[in-house]
C-alpha cells in the first residue's frame, strides 16, 4: 500500500508538470534568459522548469534591484528590467515555498544593463530679465532653485534681476497641465523650496528674516502662507537671518533648515516650535537631502565660502540624542549637539574628480537631492555639469562637460549646462535642473 501511495503521489506530481501546473513540492531549475542586454523596463523572458505561475510567490532581482514580475507559465516568466541596477547584472529568482522556506536561484549568465540619459528643455528662452507666465512654450523664467511634489508639480524659486533689484517669484510649473504660474512675489527673499513627501505641502525659507518662512498647501491650491518659527525660551536659538535650504525628514516628519551663520534647526510642522540640533562652519549651503536606507542622516552641500567644509558634502545625524532630549521639560531641555562629518574629499580648493566619494572633488555645489533608489544628484555649479553619488558611494558625472559651459540638449556626449544651481526629482525618476546660467528649466530622463 505504501509503495502504491508513493507511486500515485509521484504520478500526480509528474502529471502536474506535464499539464503545465506549478508543483511546489518539486524543485525549480533555471535555464536561460533573453535578451541578454537592455535598458530600463526591458521585457526579459526567463526560462526554466517548474517555475511559479503566481507572481506573488516569486521575487526577481537584477543585482540588488527588484524587478517587476509580469507573469508566465511553468517554463517561462516575464519580468521588466528595473531602473539602474548596475552595468553587469546577476539575475536571481527567490521562490516562496508553502512550508515557509525560500529557494534562491541565480542564472549563470550576465545581463548587461544599458543606461540611457538625455536632457531636454522644458521651459525658458535664455532671457535674464524678462518674465512671462502661461503655456510652457511661451514661458520666460530664471529658475534658481526647485523642488517636486508627488503630483507632477515643480516649484521654482525664480530670481530676476531688474533695475538693480532682485525679484524673487515663487512659481509652479506642471508639464501635464502645460502651465507656468506665479504663486508669490517678493524682493530678494525666497530661497530653496522643499516638499513634504506625505502631505505635498511646500515650504521655503524667507532668507533675511530670522524665523520667517512660507508654506503652500495643495488643499488651498498652493496659496502662500507666512509662518514664523517659535524658539523655546532657555534653549540656544538662531539670532540672525540668512537661512537658505529646507528639507522634510521622512523618518521623523520634522522640517530642517540651515542658516548661513551655522545653526541647523529642527521645526515641528504643526506647532512651528524650533530649536538648534547642530552647529556648523559659517558659510553658504544650498542643498539638504535625506537618503533612503539611512534614517535621520542629513546630507548637506557646502559652497566655497564655508571654511573647512568648503565645496564638500557633509552629513549629520539629526536623530542623535533624541532619547536624551525627551528626558527634559521644554523649559529646561538640554539639546544634544549632533556631530558633523565630511564625507567627500578633504580638499577645500574644489575641482572635478569622480570615483570614491571620500576622494571625489566638486566645484561650487548647488542643490542636492536623493531619489528613491539612493542616488544623490548634485548640481555642480562651476563645473557646469550634473553629478551623482551612487548607492555604493561612487561619484560619477551624469551629463555635461566639466569646465565647459553652454546650452545644448541631447545625450551624454552632447549635453551642455551653464551654472546649474537647482535640482529636484519627480516620482517617475525624472531629474529637473534649474539651469541658472541659461535661464531654462531642463529635464533629465534617466533610463
Amino acid at each position: 500500500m505504501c509503495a502504491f501511495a508513493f507511486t500515485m503521489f509521484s504520478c500526480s506530481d509528474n502529471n502536474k508538470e506535464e499539464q503545465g501546473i506549478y508543483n511546489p513540492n518539486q524543485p525549480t531549475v533555471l535555464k536561460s534568459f533573453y535578451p541578454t542586454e537592455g535598458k530600463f523596463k526591458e521585457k526579459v523572458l526567463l526560462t526554466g522548469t517548474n517555475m511559479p505561475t503566481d507572481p506573488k510567490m516569486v521575487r526577481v532581482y537584477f543585482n540588488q534591484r527588484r524587478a517587476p514580475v509580469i507573469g508566465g507559465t511553468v517554463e517561462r516568466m516575464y519580468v521588466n528590467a528595473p531602473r539602474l541596477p548596475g552595468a553587469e547584472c546577476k539575475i536571481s529568482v527567490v521562490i516562496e515555498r508553502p512550508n515557509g522556506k525560500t529557494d534562491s536561484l541565480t542564472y549563470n549568465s550576465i545581463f548587461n544593463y544599458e543606461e540611457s540619459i538625455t536632457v531636454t528643455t522644458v521651459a525658458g528662452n535664455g532671457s535674464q530679465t524678462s518674465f512671462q507666465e502661461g503655456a510652457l512654450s511661451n514661458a520666460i523664467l530664471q529658475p534658481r532653485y526647485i523642488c517636486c511634489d508627488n503630483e507632477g508639480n515643480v516649484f521654482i524659486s525664480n530670481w530676476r534681476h531688474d533695475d538693480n533689484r532682485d525679484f524673487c517669484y515663487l512659481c509652479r510649473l506642471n508639464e501635464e497641465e502645460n502651465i507656468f504660474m506665479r504663486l508669490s512675489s517678493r524682493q530678494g527673499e525666497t530661497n530653496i523650496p522643499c516638499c513634504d513627501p506625505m502631505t505635498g505641502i511646500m515650504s521655503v525659507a524667507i532668507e533675511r528674516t530670522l524665523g520667517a518662512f512660507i508654506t503652500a498647501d495643495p488643499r488651498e491650491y498652493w496659496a502662500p502662507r507666512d509662518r514664523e518659527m517659535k524658539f523655546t525660551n532657555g534653549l540656544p536659538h538662531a539670532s540672525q537671518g540668512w537661512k537658505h535650504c529646507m528639507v522634510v525628514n521622512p523618518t521623523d516628519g520634522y522640517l530642517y533648515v540651515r542658516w548661513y551663520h551655522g545653526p541647523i534647526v529642527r521645526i515641528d510642522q504643526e506647532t512651528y516650535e524650533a530649536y538648534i540640533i547642530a552647529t556648523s562652519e559659517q558659510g553658504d549651503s544650498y542643498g539638504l537631502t535625506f537618503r533612503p536606507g539611512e534614517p535621520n542622516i542629513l546630507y548637506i552641500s557646502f559652497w566655497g565660502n564655508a571654511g573647512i567644509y568648503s565645496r564638500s558634502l557633509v552629513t549629520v545625524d539629526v536623530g542623535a540624542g533624541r532619547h536624551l532630549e525627551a528626558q527634559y521639560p521644554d523649559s529646561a531641555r538640554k539639546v544634544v549637539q549632533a556631530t558633523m562629518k565630511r564625507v567627500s574629499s578633504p580638499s577645500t580648493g574644489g575641482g572635478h574628480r569622480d570615483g570614491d566619494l571620500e576622494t571625489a572633488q566638486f566645484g561650487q555645489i548647488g542643490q542636492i537631492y536623493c531619489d528613491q533608489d539612493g542616488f544623490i544628484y548634485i548640481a555642480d555649479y562651476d563645473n557646469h555639469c550634473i553629478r551623482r553619488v551612487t548607492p555604493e558611494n561612487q561619484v560619477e558625472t551624469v551629463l555635461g562637460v566639466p569646465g565647459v559651459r553652454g546650452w545644448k540638449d541631447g545625450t551624454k556626449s552632447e549635453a551642455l549646462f551653464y551654472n546649474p544651481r537647482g535640482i529636484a526629482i519627480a516620482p517617475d525618476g525624472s531629474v529637473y535642473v534649474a539651469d541658472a546660467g541659461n535661464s531654462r528649466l531642463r529635464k533629465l530622463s534617466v533610463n
Side-chain angles (χ1 to χ4, degrees):
M1 288 295 292
C2 290
F4 176 74
F6 177 78
T7 302
M8 290 296 293
F9 181 77
S10 299
C11 290
S12 175
D13 283 352
N14 291 335
N15 287 338
K16 282 186 177 182
E17 293 182 22
E18 290 173 2
Q19 295 170 12
I21 300 174
Y22 168 65
N23 187 345
N25 298 309
Q26 293 295 318
T28 298
V29 178
L30 303 183
K31 291 185 176 180
S32 61
F33 58 85
Y34 180 84
T36 57
E37 60 184 23
K39 302 177 181 178
F40 175 46
K41 293 186 178 180
E42 185 83 42
K43 192 174 183 180
V44 181
L45 172 64
L46 311 181
T47 67
T49 59
N50 195 39
M51 302 184 78
T53 55
D54 184 356
K56 295 180 180 179
M57 297 179 62
V58 62
R59 302 191 304 275
V60 177
Y61 296 90
F62 284 52
N63 290 339
Q64 304 302 315
R65 305 278 179 194
R66 188 170 177 176
V69 177
I70 302 171
T73 68
V74 292
E75 295 181 341
R76 59 182 61 87
M77 182 189 307
Y78 290 97
V79 300
N80 281 333
R83 182 173 177 267
L84 301 176
E88 297 182 345
C89 303
K90 280 282 189 181
I91 300 181
S92 302
V93 179
V94 179
I95 301 169
E96 302 287 346
R97 298 295 185 185
N99 58 8
K101 296 183 179 180
T102 59
D103 289 345
S104 183
L105 310 170
T106 303
Y107 284 95
N108 293 324
S109 302
I110 295 294
F111 179 84
N112 293 301
Y113 182 84
E114 300 174 5
E115 184 178 23
S116 173
I117 304 179
T118 57
V119 62
T120 57
T121 297
V122 176
N125 66 358
S127 172
Q128 296 284 338
T129 56
S130 300
F131 180 84
Q132 183 168 306
E133 303 174 66
L136 299 185
S137 58
N138 299 321
I140 303 175
L141 64 160
Q142 299 78 37
R144 184 167 291 203
Y145 304 112
I146 54 178
C147 71
C148 292
D149 67 7
N150 291 330
E151 305 301 324
N153 294 299
V154 183
F155 297 96
I156 302 170
S157 182
N158 189 96
W159 288 45
R160 179 171 69 88
H161 186 74
D162 189 21
D163 296 331
N164 296 318
R165 293 181 295 176
D166 284 328
F167 288 92
C168 296
Y169 297 158
L170 186 60
C171 305
R172 181 178 75 93
L173 182 148
N174 189 294
E175 286 194 84
E176 185 175 342
E177 297 176 13
N178 188 30
I179 189 171
F180 172 66
M181 61 181 292
R182 180 178 359 183
L183 299 178
S184 72
S185 301
R186 293 177 184 266
Q187 183 179 340
E189 290 287 340
T190 54
N191 229 317
I192 298 102
C194 72
C195 280
D196 187 316
M198 298 300 294
T199 66
I201 295 175
M202 188 272 298
S203 301
V204 60
I206 296 178
E207 184 176 75
R208 300 176 187 178
T209 310
L210 177 59
F213 65 106
I214 296 173
T215 64
D217 193 324
R219 294 170 297 183
E220 301 175 340
Y221 203 68
W222 304 283
R225 304 290 186 185
D226 289 333
R227 307 297 185 188
E228 187 71 27
M229 301 174 202
K230 301 174 182 177
F231 289 98
T232 305
N233 291 334
L235 293 181
H237 62 273
S239 59
Q240 303 178 64
W242 302 106
K243 54 192 178 297
H244 294 143
C245 39
M246 307 183 91
V247 68
V248 175
N249 181 3
T251 300
D252 62 25
Y254 285 103
L255 188 64
Y256 290 84
V257 62
R258 183 189 174 275
W259 268 256
Y260 165 84
H261 301 286
I264 299 171
V265 171
R266 177 189 296 141
I267 307 165
D268 188 308
Q269 292 197 82
E270 294 184 359
T271 65
Y272 308 126
E273 185 180 29
Y275 56 94
I276 296 174
I277 56 99
T279 55
S280 58
E281 191 86 359
Q282 177 173 292
D284 291 316
S285 58
Y286 299 115
L288 300 176
T289 195
F290 287 94
R291 201 176 197 181
E294 298 182 42
N296 294 319
I297 301 300
L298 175 64
Y299 282 78
I300 308 172
S301 62
F302 281 92
W303 204 247
N305 60 353
I308 61 172
Y309 299 134
S310 176
R311 298 177 176 87
S312 67
L313 293 179
V314 173
T315 62
V316 56
D317 185 352
V318 300
R322 188 78 56 80
H323 63 289
L324 296 177
E325 295 167 7
Q327 297 177 12
Y328 300 92
D330 288 345
S331 59
R333 185 183 296 151
K334 297 179 181 179
V335 178
V336 179
Q337 293 287 294
T339 303
M340 311 290 292
K341 179 184 177 182
R342 184 180 183 128
V343 293
S344 61
S345 168
S347 171
T348 59
H352 181 279
R353 179 190 294 160
D354 287 340
D356 293 337
L357 176 58
E358 61 184 14
T359 58
Q361 292 184 350
F362 303 93
Q364 302 277 29
I365 307 178
Q367 213 171 342
I368 60 176
Y369 197 92
C370 190
D371 69 8
Q372 60 186 359
D373 295 321
F375 288 85
I376 301 176
Y377 284 81
I378 299 166
D380 196 337
Y381 178 80
D382 52 0
N383 275 318
H384 310 295
C385 55
I386 306 303
R387 317 275 293 281
R388 74 179 172 197
V389 183
T390 71
E392 297 75 32
N393 283 335
Q394 293 294 304
V395 177
E396 53 192 18
T397 299
V398 178
L399 283 179
V401 180
V404 178
R405 67 189 190 188
W407 171 62
K408 191 173 184 181
D409 289 338
T411 63
K412 190 167 186 175
S413 62
E414 301 168 325
L416 292 175
F417 298 87
Y418 182 10
N419 293 148
R421 292 190 76 124
I423 204 158
I425 302 177
D428 67 357
S430 296
V431 181
Y432 287 92
V433 176
D435 195 355
N438 284 315
S439 293
R440 290 175 169 92
L441 182 72
R442 320 266 303 271
K443 183 170 76 170
L444 278 61
S445 297
V446 184
N447 297 314

